[in-house]
Amino acid sequence: MSLDSTLVGRTFPATAPYRVSHEKVTEFARATGTPYAADGPVPATFPIVLAFAAMNDFLDTVGVDLSRIVHGEQKFAYERPIRTGDVLTTALTVASLRQIGGNDIIGTRSDVTDADGSLVCSTSAVLVHRGGTA
Amino acid sequence: MPSSIEAGTALETRTYPVTRADLVRYAGASGDFNPIHWSDRVAGAVGLPGVIAHGMLTQALAARAVAEWTADWADGAPAQVVELGAKFTNPVVVPDDDTGIDLVVAGTVKAVDGDLVTLALEVTAGGTKVLGNPRAVVRA
């Protein structure tokens, strides 16, 4: 199944507001062994928690099974550090879509914004949707 | 940041073992419950060579090395990461045993521009590069 090329440029509804807690960041830091102190920077890949939720919503909407997705690329660009107490929402936009060898190569951009609507972190991902026959 | 940090400075290579238990733990912490990261049956059904690590766990461990290196520059406080990115070029297959697979993160200072430091990384598992062009920019 190929995805519809009219998805390109579409922005999906933002995720529900997510409050960054010290406990959640600590759990994430421990799962990756990353040094983290209460007043220090959160692990650099922590926004994936938000971007992943936005991606799950997107995949549900377009009817793609998560097990057919392999991550191809991930980038983060920070406007400011994430702090505990931040209330963040994430909106995913389909940036590009192409088909190679029966796979969909989906380029996405997910912008993480704070309660004031200011951009905190821009994330971009390439998702490989494995067509296959299994 | 110590003055010894300049373009070309090699950083101490870090080795992080990754086991199935680490994948389960990362799944819970990140919310990524894709079964290709815990089910041999599903991984095989979609054509993968076995259960593979989350690409984002691999990238998180690369970022861990950056945090550990930069903490050494500044009395224990990791630097703020401004940019981070990588391609996931080869899967990290994690065997169902007690030792797992070692992820090895090497790094070199690529450029220093004021307080911004660009790091070029090399991340391998079993001798194979698993990330394409992994890099980080930190404010140090």
Side-chain angles (χ1 to χ4, degrees):
Chain A
M1 182 195 71
S2 288
L3 291 175
D4 182 347
S5 62
T6 60
L7 285 171
V8 176
R10 187 164 151 200
T11 298
F12 287 78
T15 57
Y18 176 96
R19 180 179 293 277
V20 178
S21 71
H22 175 63
E23 291 78 8
K24 183 66 189 181
V25 178
T26 299
E27 179 191 8
F28 188 89
R30 284 184 179 160
T32 58
T34 310
Y36 167 64
D39 54 350
V42 309
T45 64
F46 182 76
I48 201 65
V49 172
L50 297 137
F52 191 83
M55 184 200 71
N56 262 340
D57 290 350
F58 160 68
L59 295 179
D60 281 350
T61 302
V62 297
V64 166
D65 193 288
L66 179 62
S67 68
R68 293 212 160 272
I69 292 290
V70 171
H71 210 159
E73 181 174 357
Q74 182 71 43
K75 292 181 178 173
F76 301 88
Y78 281 87
E79 292 296 316
R80 70 157 172 86
I82 287 178
R83 305 178 193 98
T84 56
D86 277 339
V87 176
L88 305 173
T89 57
T90 307
L92 179 146
T93 301
V94 177
S96 63
L97 184 61
R98 58 202 169 101
Q99 273 86 32
I100 297 179
N103 296 331
D104 294 307
I105 313 295
I106 312 163
T108 67
R109 174 186 165 121
S110 294
D111 285 340
V112 179
T113 52
D114 64 17
D116 297 330
S118 299
L119 181 65
V120 174
C121 181
S122 176
T123 75
S124 62
V126 175
L127 308 175
V128 180
H129 173 221
R130 296 162 69 92
T133 54
Chain B
M1 175 175 57
S3 58
S4 59
I5 302 302
E6 56 188 16
T9 301
L11 303 161
E12 186 192 346
T13 298
R14 307 275 167 162
T15 300
Y16 307 121
V18 177
T19 66
R20 290 283 178 97
D22 293 317
L23 302 189
V24 172
R25 196 172 189 190
Y26 182 78
S30 68
D32 182 347
F33 295 101
N34 191 331
I36 65 173
H37 305 306
W38 52 266
S39 168
D40 288 288
R41 175 178 54 83
V42 175
V46 297
L48 294 168
V51 162
I52 63 171
H54 306 71
M56 287 312 303
L57 174 56
T58 305
Q59 198 181 62
L61 291 170
R64 170 183 172 179
V66 171
E68 290 176 352
W69 289 323
T70 58
D72 286 346
W73 301 349
D75 296 330
Q80 181 64 46
V81 172
V82 180
E83 289 178 33
L84 182 74
K87 292 179 176 162
F88 305 107
T89 48
N90 279 300
V92 177
V93 179
V94 180
D96 184 12
D97 61 23
D98 294 330
T99 50
I101 186 166
D102 280 349
L103 199 75
V104 179
V105 184
T108 308
V109 176
K110 195 79 179 168
V112 179
D113 179 9
D115 63 351
L116 292 179
V117 181
T118 302
L119 305 176
L121 311 179
E122 183 178 281
V123 181
T124 58
T128 300
K129 280 189 197 179
V130 295
L131 295 185
N133 194 26
R135 62 190 292 280
V137 179
V138 300
R139 197 178 299 283

